[in-house]
Every structure is written in structure tokens, then in C-alpha cells.
Amino acid sequence: MNRRVLLAAPRGCCAGVDRAIATVEKALDLYGPPIYVRHEIVHNTHVIKRLEHKGAVFVDETDQVPEGSIVIFSAHGVAPTVHEQAARRQLSVIDATCPLVTKVHKEALRYSQDGYDILLIGHEGHEEVIGTLGEAPERTTLVKGPDEISNVTVRDPGKVVWLSQTTLSMDETMATAAALKHRFPNLLDPPSDDICYATQNRQRAVQEIAKEADLVLVVGSANSSNSVRLVEVALAAGAHDAQLIDHADEINETWLEGVCTIGLTSGASVPETLIQDVLKWLAARGISDVQTLTTAEEHQIFALPRELATSSQTEALNEGHRSQQPRESHTNPDIRFQSHNR
Ligand code: SF4
């Protein structure tokens, strides 16, 4: 049997994850360990272990960070109350929130200030959703899916907007939005896609490989929303089987029985080295024919958080200059889109 690997492109780390990891690494270089990070900087166990080894200390809340220390906020974003708590403890905040998550926060804030009720499509308990809800908790209702829509209430059906978590399934989100529109005909769409370019590109790529694959392997951690979505999208697109693995050692040889084409992709928080490990694992079992299926090209780069971006701000941190204005440390990102997707 001639067996092959169909490799999805794009896959793996997105611009927001690259920026978040680089933020921790640069802070470690500049200030030395320990550098405190609230929550996992990105949802990938391999990345977390590597940064812990270098001296990053991951905490659940800012009250676990010694007063006056530096704390980094993760790529998923935080509620304004978290900035306030950090300011009360005189922490120096470096905010690694992905600029595309910050965009959704700003939309939530603006619409709430304009008197809208916000219907936020997302997964309950996900860090990004908790952060976005925190921008306007009195005005925002979480909608987990179409089943819940009959229970949604708003103050004025003429002033309602929907927003979403950035890492959802495109198809499921649009289905939920359509059902919301049926209930609230004047529902406003977000000004632009909330589901980010990286999520969309990885879902499109896995849809294409799934059409030809008997088995799709998705490299990613179980707490990574976009990785879990890739498994679901692969199955919905026709793959006979799809499995989420953190690394090559988790592949079960029985999954390969009777399989001719193995699709391979990775979530937006997964370093390429983990894909290479899977390819080596497969090659060791005689599956070394690798074909890449490219559905988009990505050249996005996000500048580092402004707290690290200029020497004067770096000096300010070095001198222990603490911001007492929590909202000022909420990143106003410098987004550089070097080119667009095809
Ligand atoms: Fe940003 Fe999208 Fe990457 Fe999340 S998946 S960090 S929103 S680019």
C-alpha cells in the first residue's frame, strides 16, 4: 500500500502566538528570571514547559505575584478588573494580548458605550471569553450555540450586536449568528470578522486535506480552542478519523490500520518542531511521502507590546517606574500586516 502524508499549509504558530512567546523571552532576557505570567501565555504544553525551564513562572492570578514585580498577561486577553488588580499591587504589566483579541475588546467597549446589548458567541469559561465579557459585563450575554437563542433577552431588540471569540469554527459561528438574526432581525454584524485570519486559514486548510485523508492528525493541546476546532472541522469535512495529539508519542499505531492518506496539521499555538517530530515518527514506520497542500500564505507580524518596544519604556520598567493607570497598560497594538492572504 502506497501511503502518504498530506501536510496542511498554513498550520502552526500564528502572529499572535509568536508575539506572545517572544514577549516572555524578551522579558526574561531584559530582566532575568523569574518573570511572572498570568495563565498559560499560549495554550501549548510544550511551549509552557520550555518557558518554565528558562525562568517563567505561570500563576493563576495576580495576587500570586510578589508586589512590585513584572507580570505578563497572556495572548488570550484579560478583563479590565485584572489590570486594576495588578495596579493595586503595583505590578509592572506587559500585556501580550493578541492585537486581534484587543480588537474585539474595543468593539465590546464601544458598542456598550453606544447603548448596544452585545451577544458574544463563544465557549463558556474560555479565558478569551472571560476577558471580553469583562469589558461590558452588564451589557454582554454569552451565546454558546443555536440551542440557547430562545432564552436570550435584550433591552432593545433594535440595538443589538453580535461579536465572537476569535478561535471558533467559522461555519458553526455563522450558523449561530444566522439564528440570532432570525430572532433579532435588526442584529448588527461586527465591523469585520472577529474569527481571526489564522483560525480561518487553518480551518480552510484542514477542510481541504480532510477531503482526501483517511486519518487527520491535529497537533495541539486539549485546552487549545483552535486546535480542538480543527479536529471537529476535519471530521465535518469528511475525514474518516481525526485525532488531537500533543506530540508524536501520543500517536496510537492502531489508528494507522488500513489508512492510505494521513492529513497533518497543527493549532495556532504549536511550534513547527512538533510537526517535524510527527513526520519523523511516521517516516520511521515507512510513511515518508509528504505532500504539502497550501491554501493560503501568511506574512502577518505583530510588533512586541509597547512596554517592550522602545528603549525608553524598557528603561522605565528597569527603573521600577510603575503605572498606576490600569487602562494605560492595556495594549494599543501596532499591527503590521505585511501582506494579505490569497
Ligand atoms: Fe491572535 Fe488568532 Fe493567534 Fe489567537 S489564534 S493569538 S486571535 S492570531
Side-chain angles (χ1 to χ4, degrees):
M1 183 165 56
N2 186 22
R3 306 169 103 188
R4 64 170 180 156
V5 179
L6 207 47
L7 193 55
R11 63 179 178 277
C13 283
C14 60
V17 163
D18 283 341
R19 173 181 184 263
I21 295 170
T23 297
V24 179
E25 288 175 335
K26 182 152 188 188
L28 283 165
D29 283 350
L30 286 172
Y31 310 114
I35 290 289
Y36 295 89
V37 184
R38 183 183 177 274
H39 293 180
E40 293 189 350
I41 186 75
V42 300
H43 285 155
N44 183 265
T45 50
H46 174 88
V47 171
I48 298 305
K49 280 185 194 156
R50 189 170 59 75
L51 292 174
E52 276 177 338
H53 186 69
K54 288 184 170 185
V57 177
F58 294 91
V59 297
D60 292 331
E61 286 306 335
T62 48
D63 60 12
Q64 294 168 270
V65 181
E67 283 203 11
S69 301
I70 296 170
V71 64
I72 298 176
F73 290 162
S74 78
H76 311 99
V78 300
T81 50
V82 177
H83 284 272
E84 290 158 11
Q85 288 157 6
R88 279 198 293 275
R89 292 181 63 75
Q90 298 201 315
L91 304 181
S92 292
V93 170
I94 301 173
D95 191 349
T97 301
C98 176
L100 301 183
V101 175
T102 301
K103 166 186 158 294
V104 183
H105 280 232
K106 287 182 172 174
E107 287 168 359
L109 194 58
R110 181 161 56 85
Y111 281 114
S112 69
Q113 286 169 346
D114 289 348
Y116 281 80
D117 279 352
I118 299 160
L119 304 179
L120 177 65
I121 303 174
H123 292 295
E124 190 168 28
H126 188 277
E127 283 165 56
E128 181 188 324
V129 166
I130 293 168
T132 307
L133 277 168
E135 290 291 351
E138 312 294 323
R139 298 284 165 86
T140 310
T141 301
L142 179 63
V143 180
K144 289 174 270 179
D147 295 349
E148 295 198 334
I149 289 170
S150 56
N151 299 325
V152 173
T153 56
V154 297
R155 291 170 305 163
D156 176 0
K159 282 204 107 173
V160 198
V161 62
W162 71 274
L163 303 176
S164 82
Q165 189 181 335
T166 57
T167 50
L168 299 180
S169 151
M170 291 182 292
D171 293 343
E172 284 179 17
T173 303
M174 293 320 293
T176 304
L180 281 171
K181 274 208 167 160
H182 193 256
R183 170 102 198 269
F184 303 110
N186 292 325
L187 182 73
L188 210 61
D189 292 325
S192 60
D193 286 349
D194 284 344
I195 296 181
C196 80
Y197 80 95
T199 301
Q200 295 192 28
N201 286 347
R202 281 149 192 70
Q203 288 180 14
R204 283 199 192 103
V206 86
Q207 274 171 342
E208 290 307 310
I209 62 169
K211 289 176 188 166
E212 298 185 42
D214 307 299
L215 164 70
V216 173
L217 295 176
V218 177
V219 184
S221 295
N223 62 346
S224 161
S225 171
N226 78 87
S227 301
V228 174
R229 299 291 85 71
L230 289 176
V231 173
E232 294 168 358
V233 170
L235 290 170
H240 296 161
D241 189 11
Q243 299 285 347
L244 183 69
I245 51 169
D246 234 326
H247 49 78
D249 293 349
E250 292 184 358
I251 302 172
N252 185 331
E253 302 226 18
T254 62
W255 297 343
L256 303 180
E257 288 170 7
V259 165
C260 284
T261 299
I262 300 157
L264 180 58
T265 189
S266 51
S269 48
V270 176
E272 181 63 12
T273 175
L274 298 183
I275 282 280
Q276 296 306 318
D277 288 347
V278 172
L279 291 175
K280 280 183 209 152
W281 189 98
L282 292 168
R285 286 150 184 85
I287 309 169
S288 52
D289 176 9
V290 180
Q291 298 163 16
T292 300
L293 199 158
T294 303
T295 52
E297 289 183 4
E298 293 179 350
H299 304 282
Q300 280 81 356
I301 296 173
F302 296 148
L304 283 177
R306 62 181 179 179
E307 298 88 347
L308 290 173
T310 69
S311 57
S312 61
Q313 281 153 350
T314 298
E315 282 162 18
L317 273 171
N318 267 333
E319 288 162 10
H321 186 84
R322 314 293 181 204
S323 167
Q324 298 299 314
Q325 301 295 325
R327 295 302 292 171
E328 283 184 5
S329 61
H330 204 162
T331 303
N332 179 11
D334 172 14
I335 306 176
R336 290 199 301 266
F337 290 96
Q338 291 195 326
S339 75
H340 297 282
N341 299 331
R342 269 196 310 218

PDB file of all heavy atoms in Angstrom, residues 253-282:
ATOM      1  N   GLU A 253      -0.638   3.416  17.165  1.00  0.00           N
ATOM      2  CA  GLU A 253      -0.358   2.733  15.889  1.00  0.00           C
ATOM      3  C   GLU A 253      -1.625   2.136  15.280  1.00  0.00           C
ATOM      4  O   GLU A 253      -1.731   2.007  14.062  1.00  0.00           O
ATOM      5  CB  GLU A 253       0.693   1.647  16.100  1.00  0.00           C
ATOM      6  CG  GLU A 253       1.980   2.188  16.674  1.00  0.00           C
ATOM      7  CD  GLU A 253       3.232   1.679  15.976  1.00  0.00           C
ATOM      8  OE1 GLU A 253       3.097   1.180  14.843  1.00  0.00           O
ATOM      9  OE2 GLU A 253       4.304   1.807  16.561  1.00  0.00           O
ATOM     10  N   THR A 254      -2.603   1.786  16.102  1.00  0.00           N
ATOM     11  CA  THR A 254      -3.827   1.178  15.552  1.00  0.00           C
ATOM     12  C   THR A 254      -4.610   2.181  14.697  1.00  0.00           C
ATOM     13  O   THR A 254      -5.381   1.786  13.826  1.00  0.00           O
ATOM     14  CB  THR A 254      -4.755   0.660  16.674  1.00  0.00           C
ATOM     15  OG1 THR A 254      -5.151   1.767  17.488  1.00  0.00           O
ATOM     16  CG2 THR A 254      -4.056  -0.384  17.523  1.00  0.00           C
ATOM     17  N   TRP A 255      -4.395   3.495  14.932  1.00  0.00           N
ATOM     18  CA  TRP A 255      -5.096   4.489  14.116  1.00  0.00           C
ATOM     19  C   TRP A 255      -4.694   4.366  12.642  1.00  0.00           C
ATOM     20  O   TRP A 255      -5.445   4.769  11.758  1.00  0.00           O
ATOM     21  CB  TRP A 255      -4.765   5.920  14.568  1.00  0.00           C
ATOM     22  CG  TRP A 255      -5.191   6.278  15.958  1.00  0.00           C
ATOM     23  CD1 TRP A 255      -6.109   5.617  16.738  1.00  0.00           C
ATOM     24  CD2 TRP A 255      -4.703   7.371  16.745  1.00  0.00           C
ATOM     25  NE1 TRP A 255      -6.215   6.240  17.950  1.00  0.00           N
ATOM     26  CE2 TRP A 255      -5.376   7.318  17.986  1.00  0.00           C
ATOM     27  CE3 TRP A 255      -3.791   8.393  16.530  1.00  0.00           C
ATOM     28  CZ2 TRP A 255      -5.144   8.245  18.997  1.00  0.00           C
ATOM     29  CZ3 TRP A 255      -3.555   9.325  17.535  1.00  0.00           C
ATOM     30  CH2 TRP A 255      -4.224   9.244  18.749  1.00  0.00           C
ATOM     31  N   LEU A 256      -3.514   3.841  12.391  1.00  0.00           N
ATOM     32  CA  LEU A 256      -2.978   3.814  11.015  1.00  0.00           C
ATOM     33  C   LEU A 256      -3.433   2.589  10.228  1.00  0.00           C
ATOM     34  O   LEU A 256      -3.173   2.508   9.025  1.00  0.00           O
ATOM     35  CB  LEU A 256      -1.445   3.838  11.045  1.00  0.00           C
ATOM     36  CG  LEU A 256      -0.788   5.015  11.786  1.00  0.00           C
ATOM     37  CD1 LEU A 256       0.723   4.900  11.721  1.00  0.00           C
ATOM     38  CD2 LEU A 256      -1.229   6.336  11.179  1.00  0.00           C
ATOM     39  N   GLU A 257      -4.115   1.655  10.900  1.00  0.00           N
ATOM     40  CA  GLU A 257      -4.512   0.421  10.211  1.00  0.00           C
ATOM     41  C   GLU A 257      -5.472   0.733   9.069  1.00  0.00           C
ATOM     42  O   GLU A 257      -6.486   1.410   9.257  1.00  0.00           O
ATOM     43  CB  GLU A 257      -5.158  -0.551  11.206  1.00  0.00           C
ATOM     44  CG  GLU A 257      -4.132  -1.162  12.149  1.00  0.00           C
ATOM     45  CD  GLU A 257      -4.769  -1.937  13.302  1.00  0.00           C
ATOM     46  OE1 GLU A 257      -6.012  -2.111  13.293  1.00  0.00           O
ATOM     47  OE2 GLU A 257      -4.019  -2.334  14.216  1.00  0.00           O
ATOM     48  N   GLY A 258      -5.122   0.290   7.868  1.00  0.00           N
ATOM     49  CA  GLY A 258      -5.964   0.492   6.688  1.00  0.00           C
ATOM     50  C   GLY A 258      -5.972   1.908   6.159  1.00  0.00           C
ATOM     51  O   GLY A 258      -6.762   2.248   5.277  1.00  0.00           O
ATOM     52  N   VAL A 259      -5.083   2.748   6.677  1.00  0.00           N
ATOM     53  CA  VAL A 259      -5.064   4.169   6.287  1.00  0.00           C
ATOM     54  C   VAL A 259      -4.060   4.395   5.155  1.00  0.00           C
ATOM     55  O   VAL A 259      -2.907   3.980   5.259  1.00  0.00           O
ATOM     56  CB  VAL A 259      -4.689   5.035   7.514  1.00  0.00           C
ATOM     57  CG1 VAL A 259      -4.292   6.442   7.108  1.00  0.00           C
ATOM     58  CG2 VAL A 259      -5.861   5.076   8.490  1.00  0.00           C
ATOM     59  N   CYS A 260      -4.507   5.043   4.073  1.00  0.00           N
ATOM     60  CA  CYS A 260      -3.600   5.370   2.960  1.00  0.00           C
ATOM     61  C   CYS A 260      -3.079   6.803   3.083  1.00  0.00           C
ATOM     62  O   CYS A 260      -1.891   7.048   2.915  1.00  0.00           O
ATOM     63  CB  CYS A 260      -4.336   5.247   1.627  1.00  0.00           C
ATOM     64  SG  CYS A 260      -4.578   3.561   1.115  1.00  0.00           S
ATOM     65  N   THR A 261      -3.978   7.747   3.336  1.00  0.00           N
ATOM     66  CA  THR A 261      -3.572   9.159   3.392  1.00  0.00           C
ATOM     67  C   THR A 261      -3.781   9.702   4.800  1.00  0.00           C
ATOM     68  O   THR A 261      -4.885   9.619   5.350  1.00  0.00           O
ATOM     69  CB  THR A 261      -4.391   9.988   2.381  1.00  0.00           C
ATOM     70  OG1 THR A 261      -4.128   9.492   1.070  1.00  0.00           O
ATOM     71  CG2 THR A 261      -4.018  11.455   2.452  1.00  0.00           C
ATOM     72  N   ILE A 262      -2.697  10.233   5.340  1.00  0.00           N
ATOM     73  CA  ILE A 262      -2.746  10.826   6.685  1.00  0.00           C
ATOM     74  C   ILE A 262      -2.649  12.340   6.527  1.00  0.00           C
ATOM     75  O   ILE A 262      -1.638  12.857   6.031  1.00  0.00           O
ATOM     76  CB  ILE A 262      -1.574  10.327   7.543  1.00  0.00           C
ATOM     77  CG1 ILE A 262      -1.645   8.808   7.683  1.00  0.00           C
ATOM     78  CG2 ILE A 262      -1.564  10.998   8.916  1.00  0.00           C
ATOM     79  CD1 ILE A 262      -0.319   8.173   8.002  1.00  0.00           C
ATOM     80  N   GLY A 263      -3.674  13.045   6.914  1.00  0.00           N
ATOM     81  CA  GLY A 263      -3.611  14.508   6.925  1.00  0.00           C
ATOM     82  C   GLY A 263      -2.906  14.959   8.195  1.00  0.00           C
ATOM     83  O   GLY A 263      -3.054  14.328   9.248  1.00  0.00           O
ATOM     84  N   LEU A 264      -2.147  16.028   8.098  1.00  0.00           N
ATOM     85  CA  LEU A 264      -1.411  16.508   9.272  1.00  0.00           C
ATOM     86  C   LEU A 264      -1.481  18.025   9.331  1.00  0.00           C
ATOM     87  O   LEU A 264      -1.200  18.717   8.341  1.00  0.00           O
ATOM     88  CB  LEU A 264       0.056  16.038   9.181  1.00  0.00           C
ATOM     89  CG  LEU A 264       0.984  16.445  10.331  1.00  0.00           C
ATOM     90  CD1 LEU A 264       0.477  15.939  11.680  1.00  0.00           C
ATOM     91  CD2 LEU A 264       2.400  15.909  10.073  1.00  0.00           C
ATOM     92  N   THR A 265      -1.847  18.534  10.497  1.00  0.00           N
ATOM     93  CA  THR A 265      -1.871  19.979  10.707  1.00  0.00           C
ATOM     94  C   THR A 265      -1.601  20.266  12.183  1.00  0.00           C
ATOM     95  O   THR A 265      -1.415  19.330  12.975  1.00  0.00           O
ATOM     96  CB  THR A 265      -3.202  20.595  10.256  1.00  0.00           C
ATOM     97  OG1 THR A 265      -3.098  22.027  10.292  1.00  0.00           O
ATOM     98  CG2 THR A 265      -4.361  20.163  11.153  1.00  0.00           C
ATOM     99  N   SER A 266      -1.586  21.545  12.535  1.00  0.00           N
ATOM    100  CA  SER A 266      -1.342  21.902  13.941  1.00  0.00           C
ATOM    101  C   SER A 266      -2.062  23.199  14.265  1.00  0.00           C
ATOM    102  O   SER A 266      -2.295  24.050  13.391  1.00  0.00           O
ATOM    103  CB  SER A 266       0.160  22.047  14.207  1.00  0.00           C
ATOM    104  OG  SER A 266       0.759  22.897  13.266  1.00  0.00           O
ATOM    105  N   GLY A 267      -2.390  23.349  15.538  1.00  0.00           N
ATOM    106  CA  GLY A 267      -3.099  24.533  16.001  1.00  0.00           C
ATOM    107  C   GLY A 267      -2.206  25.761  16.018  1.00  0.00           C
ATOM    108  O   GLY A 267      -0.981  25.673  15.840  1.00  0.00           O
ATOM    109  N   ALA A 268      -2.823  26.897  16.269  1.00  0.00           N
ATOM    110  CA  ALA A 268      -2.123  28.187  16.145  1.00  0.00           C
ATOM    111  C   ALA A 268      -1.117  28.439  17.263  1.00  0.00           C
ATOM    112  O   ALA A 268      -0.399  29.429  17.226  1.00  0.00           O
ATOM    113  CB  ALA A 268      -3.146  29.318  16.104  1.00  0.00           C
ATOM    114  N   SER A 269      -1.056  27.546  18.258  1.00  0.00           N
ATOM    115  CA  SER A 269      -0.069  27.744  19.326  1.00  0.00           C
ATOM    116  C   SER A 269       1.017  26.671  19.306  1.00  0.00           C
ATOM    117  O   SER A 269       1.722  26.481  20.295  1.00  0.00           O
ATOM    118  CB  SER A 269      -0.782  27.749  20.687  1.00  0.00           C
ATOM    119  OG  SER A 269      -1.667  26.660  20.779  1.00  0.00           O
ATOM    120  N   VAL A 270       1.158  25.990  18.165  1.00  0.00           N
ATOM    121  CA  VAL A 270       2.039  24.813  18.122  1.00  0.00           C
ATOM    122  C   VAL A 270       3.307  25.099  17.326  1.00  0.00           C
ATOM    123  O   VAL A 270       3.247  25.424  16.128  1.00  0.00           O
ATOM    124  CB  VAL A 270       1.280  23.621  17.494  1.00  0.00           C
ATOM    125  CG1 VAL A 270       2.204  22.415  17.356  1.00  0.00           C
ATOM    126  CG2 VAL A 270       0.071  23.273  18.344  1.00  0.00           C
ATOM    127  N   PRO A 271       4.483  24.956  17.945  1.00  0.00           N
ATOM    128  CA  PRO A 271       5.742  25.158  17.209  1.00  0.00           C
ATOM    129  C   PRO A 271       5.936  24.091  16.125  1.00  0.00           C
ATOM    130  O   PRO A 271       5.530  22.938  16.295  1.00  0.00           O
ATOM    131  CB  PRO A 271       6.821  25.019  18.292  1.00  0.00           C
ATOM    132  CG  PRO A 271       6.116  25.068  19.595  1.00  0.00           C
ATOM    133  CD  PRO A 271       4.707  24.642  19.362  1.00  0.00           C
ATOM    134  N   GLU A 272       6.592  24.478  15.041  1.00  0.00           N
ATOM    135  CA  GLU A 272       6.793  23.581  13.897  1.00  0.00           C
ATOM    136  C   GLU A 272       7.597  22.343  14.280  1.00  0.00           C
ATOM    137  O   GLU A 272       7.427  21.269  13.690  1.00  0.00           O
ATOM    138  CB  GLU A 272       7.485  24.353  12.765  1.00  0.00           C
ATOM    139  CG  GLU A 272       7.748  23.558  11.503  1.00  0.00           C
ATOM    140  CD  GLU A 272       6.492  23.058  10.787  1.00  0.00           C
ATOM    141  OE1 GLU A 272       5.375  23.506  11.129  1.00  0.00           O
ATOM    142  OE2 GLU A 272       6.643  22.216   9.878  1.00  0.00           O
ATOM    143  N   THR A 273       8.442  22.441  15.276  1.00  0.00           N
ATOM    144  CA  THR A 273       9.252  21.294  15.678  1.00  0.00           C
ATOM    145  C   THR A 273       8.380  20.080  16.038  1.00  0.00           C
ATOM    146  O   THR A 273       8.777  18.931  15.823  1.00  0.00           O
ATOM    147  CB  THR A 273      10.177  21.679  16.864  1.00  0.00           C
ATOM    148  OG1 THR A 273      10.862  20.540  17.296  1.00  0.00           O
ATOM    149  CG2 THR A 273       9.433  22.281  18.012  1.00  0.00           C
ATOM    150  N   LEU A 274       7.172  20.330  16.561  1.00  0.00           N
ATOM    151  CA  LEU A 274       6.299  19.209  16.936  1.00  0.00           C
ATOM    152  C   LEU A 274       5.734  18.512  15.698  1.00  0.00           C
ATOM    153  O   LEU A 274       5.499  17.304  15.709  1.00  0.00           O
ATOM    154  CB  LEU A 274       5.171  19.699  17.853  1.00  0.00           C
ATOM    155  CG  LEU A 274       5.626  20.291  19.197  1.00  0.00           C
ATOM    156  CD1 LEU A 274       4.425  20.678  20.056  1.00  0.00           C
ATOM    157  CD2 LEU A 274       6.518  19.321  19.954  1.00  0.00           C
ATOM    158  N   ILE A 275       5.522  19.286  14.619  1.00  0.00           N
ATOM    159  CA  ILE A 275       5.104  18.673  13.346  1.00  0.00           C
ATOM    160  C   ILE A 275       6.248  17.826  12.794  1.00  0.00           C
ATOM    161  O   ILE A 275       6.044  16.700  12.319  1.00  0.00           O
ATOM    162  CB  ILE A 275       4.720  19.784  12.335  1.00  0.00           C
ATOM    163  CG1 ILE A 275       3.327  20.330  12.654  1.00  0.00           C
ATOM    164  CG2 ILE A 275       4.768  19.274  10.897  1.00  0.00           C
ATOM    165  CD1 ILE A 275       2.154  19.486  12.174  1.00  0.00           C
ATOM    166  N   GLN A 276       7.471  18.368  12.870  1.00  0.00           N
ATOM    167  CA  GLN A 276       8.622  17.617  12.363  1.00  0.00           C
ATOM    168  C   GLN A 276       8.793  16.308  13.134  1.00  0.00           C
ATOM    169  O   GLN A 276       9.155  15.282  12.551  1.00  0.00           O
ATOM    170  CB  GLN A 276       9.896  18.476  12.447  1.00  0.00           C
ATOM    171  CG  GLN A 276       9.859  19.727  11.564  1.00  0.00           C
ATOM    172  CD  GLN A 276       9.543  19.418  10.101  1.00  0.00           C
ATOM    173  OE1 GLN A 276      10.065  18.445   9.547  1.00  0.00           O
ATOM    174  NE2 GLN A 276       8.695  20.219   9.481  1.00  0.00           N
ATOM    175  N   ASP A 277       8.512  16.322  14.434  1.00  0.00           N
ATOM    176  CA  ASP A 277       8.591  15.086  15.228  1.00  0.00           C
ATOM    177  C   ASP A 277       7.574  14.052  14.729  1.00  0.00           C
ATOM    178  O   ASP A 277       7.869  12.853  14.680  1.00  0.00           O
ATOM    179  CB  ASP A 277       8.324  15.383  16.716  1.00  0.00           C
ATOM    180  CG  ASP A 277       9.482  16.124  17.363  1.00  0.00           C
ATOM    181  OD1 ASP A 277      10.568  16.190  16.752  1.00  0.00           O
ATOM    182  OD2 ASP A 277       9.289  16.641  18.487  1.00  0.00           O
ATOM    183  N   VAL A 278       6.382  14.517  14.362  1.00  0.00           N
ATOM    184  CA  VAL A 278       5.369  13.589  13.848  1.00  0.00           C
ATOM    185  C   VAL A 278       5.831  13.013  12.500  1.00  0.00           C
ATOM    186  O   VAL A 278       5.697  11.807  12.246  1.00  0.00           O
ATOM    187  CB  VAL A 278       3.997  14.289  13.696  1.00  0.00           C
ATOM    188  CG1 VAL A 278       2.995  13.373  12.986  1.00  0.00           C
ATOM    189  CG2 VAL A 278       3.460  14.695  15.062  1.00  0.00           C
ATOM    190  N   LEU A 279       6.389  13.872  11.647  1.00  0.00           N
ATOM    191  CA  LEU A 279       6.879  13.378  10.348  1.00  0.00           C
ATOM    192  C   LEU A 279       7.982  12.339  10.546  1.00  0.00           C
ATOM    193  O   LEU A 279       8.030  11.330   9.833  1.00  0.00           O
ATOM    194  CB  LEU A 279       7.376  14.550   9.491  1.00  0.00           C
ATOM    195  CG  LEU A 279       6.274  15.502   8.992  1.00  0.00           C
ATOM    196  CD1 LEU A 279       6.883  16.700   8.266  1.00  0.00           C
ATOM    197  CD2 LEU A 279       5.286  14.767   8.082  1.00  0.00           C
ATOM    198  N   LYS A 280       8.855  12.566  11.526  1.00  0.00           N
ATOM    199  CA  LYS A 280       9.921  11.583  11.798  1.00  0.00           C
ATOM    200  C   LYS A 280       9.305  10.273  12.303  1.00  0.00           C
ATOM    201  O   LYS A 280       9.739   9.187  11.921  1.00  0.00           O
ATOM    202  CB  LYS A 280      10.877  12.137  12.875  1.00  0.00           C
ATOM    203  CG  LYS A 280      11.898  13.113  12.333  1.00  0.00           C
ATOM    204  CD  LYS A 280      12.840  13.531  13.460  1.00  0.00           C
ATOM    205  CE  LYS A 280      13.358  14.934  13.203  1.00  0.00           C
ATOM    206  NZ  LYS A 280      13.703  15.671  14.392  1.00  0.00           N
ATOM    207  N   TRP A 281       8.311  10.383  13.165  1.00  0.00           N
ATOM    208  CA  TRP A 281       7.638   9.198  13.714  1.00  0.00           C
ATOM    209  C   TRP A 281       7.012   8.387  12.568  1.00  0.00           C
ATOM    210  O   TRP A 281       7.130   7.160  12.527  1.00  0.00           O
ATOM    211  CB  TRP A 281       6.561   9.656  14.702  1.00  0.00           C
ATOM    212  CG  TRP A 281       5.912   8.572  15.522  1.00  0.00           C
ATOM    213  CD1 TRP A 281       6.219   8.212  16.801  1.00  0.00           C
ATOM    214  CD2 TRP A 281       4.808   7.738  15.124  1.00  0.00           C
ATOM    215  NE1 TRP A 281       5.397   7.208  17.222  1.00  0.00           N
ATOM    216  CE2 TRP A 281       4.515   6.881  16.219  1.00  0.00           C
ATOM    217  CE3 TRP A 281       4.045   7.596  13.969  1.00  0.00           C
ATOM    218  CZ2 TRP A 281       3.501   5.929  16.187  1.00  0.00           C
ATOM    219  CZ3 TRP A 281       3.036   6.642  13.930  1.00  0.00           C
ATOM    220  CH2 TRP A 281       2.769   5.819  15.022  1.00  0.00           C
ATOM    221  N   LEU A 282       6.374   9.072  11.640  1.00  0.00           N
ATOM    222  CA  LEU A 282       5.736   8.373  10.516  1.00  0.00           C
ATOM    223  C   LEU A 282       6.797   7.786   9.580  1.00  0.00           C
ATOM    224  O   LEU A 282       6.666   6.656   9.099  1.00  0.00           O
ATOM    225  CB  LEU A 282       4.816   9.337   9.749  1.00  0.00           C
ATOM    226  CG  LEU A 282       3.566   9.804  10.520  1.00  0.00           C
ATOM    227  CD1 LEU A 282       2.882  10.971   9.803  1.00  0.00           C
ATOM    228  CD2 LEU A 282       2.577   8.641  10.704  1.00  0.00           C
TER     229      LEU A 282
END
